[in-house]
Amino acid sequence: KTIGYRFHDRSLLLEALTHSSYATELKARKQNAVCNERLEFLGDSVLSIITSNYLYKNFSDCPEGELTRMRAEVVCERALSGYSEAIGLGEFLLLGIGEEKNNGRHRRSIVADAFEALLAAIYLDAGDDGMETAQGFVLPFITKEIENVRRRGSFNGDPKTLLQQFVQ
């Protein structure tokens, strides 16, 4: 209900929510489990193409370097963990005992990765409409983050990029 999507193949959702620590613990008990890392890999690319396409179409006056910086701001770990927090994704994650004890449900890297895995699961589950469905899910987060970043005026790039530009 929270994400506005109903899975046809719930195993994709389960996989997206399964952290490697949990999968490892199940495998140690001779139970089958697949963690969300492969979905995270795909989700990263799906997120990148959706974001790039949106920026390309809606910021036609921006040069490539600025588009790249904008994309980096809205797909970074900080932003992704914020998207996850907005839907309470951390509460649904399957974590191993150690991650659970170490507050893994609220660790940026874990929830950011899970968001990418969830996006990939939606993309795959929707079949032929995968890209459109994934876009419908993620674009509201991206557009809101673009507005926030523009309002803060922080499309100035990461420190490494700023240093490289200064040196050049």
Side-chain angles (χ1 to χ4, degrees):
K1 287 181 180 180
T2 302
I3 64 172
Y5 182 78
R6 183 177 204 86
F7 280 85
H8 304 293
D9 180 356
R10 289 183 171 242
S11 69
L12 284 169
L13 176 60
L14 180 63
E15 184 178 337
L17 298 174
T18 303
H19 187 260
S20 59
S21 62
Y22 185 81
T24 301
E25 287 180 10
L26 286 183
K27 287 177 185 175
R29 291 184 251 150
K30 306 283 190 238
Q31 296 178 21
N32 190 24
V34 179
C35 73
N36 64 8
E37 290 174 347
R38 285 177 48 85
L39 283 175
E40 174 201 341
F41 166 78
L42 178 60
D44 180 67
S45 294
V46 171
L47 179 63
S48 183
I49 192 67
I50 290 170
T51 306
S52 297
N53 188 47
Y54 177 82
L55 291 170
Y56 182 82
K57 288 181 177 178
N58 291 282
F59 295 88
S60 58
D61 57 325
C62 292
E64 179 268 340
E66 190 172 340
L67 293 173
T68 299
R69 285 190 295 280
M70 291 170 71
R71 181 181 60 205
E73 283 283 334
V74 300
V75 302
C76 68
E77 184 178 278
R78 175 200 51 77
L80 293 173
S81 65
Y83 307 158
S84 290
E85 187 177 305
I87 60 173
L89 188 59
E91 302 308 313
F92 298 97
L93 297 179
L94 300 173
L95 301 174
I97 294 167
E99 287 298 344
E100 192 72 65
K101 287 180 180 178
N102 289 321
N103 204 25
R105 293 185 187 286
H106 304 287
R107 189 151 25 122
R108 274 186 173 181
S109 61
I110 291 176
V111 295
D113 292 348
F115 187 86
E116 289 177 327
L118 177 63
L119 180 62
I122 291 169
Y123 168 77
L124 291 172
D125 189 65
D128 291 341
D129 297 324
M131 191 57 75
E132 183 179 329
T133 304
Q135 182 174 303
F137 167 68
V138 79
L139 264 184
F141 296 106
I142 291 169
T143 56
K144 184 176 180 182
E145 185 64 16
I146 288 170
E147 290 173 19
N148 290 340
V149 173
R150 291 189 88 177
R151 189 172 31 257
R152 291 190 311 258
S154 58
F155 275 140
N156 298 324
D158 61 281
K160 180 181 173 184
T161 303
L162 291 172
L163 176 63
Q164 288 173 331
Q165 289 173 344
F166 176 76
V167 171
Q168 289 174 351

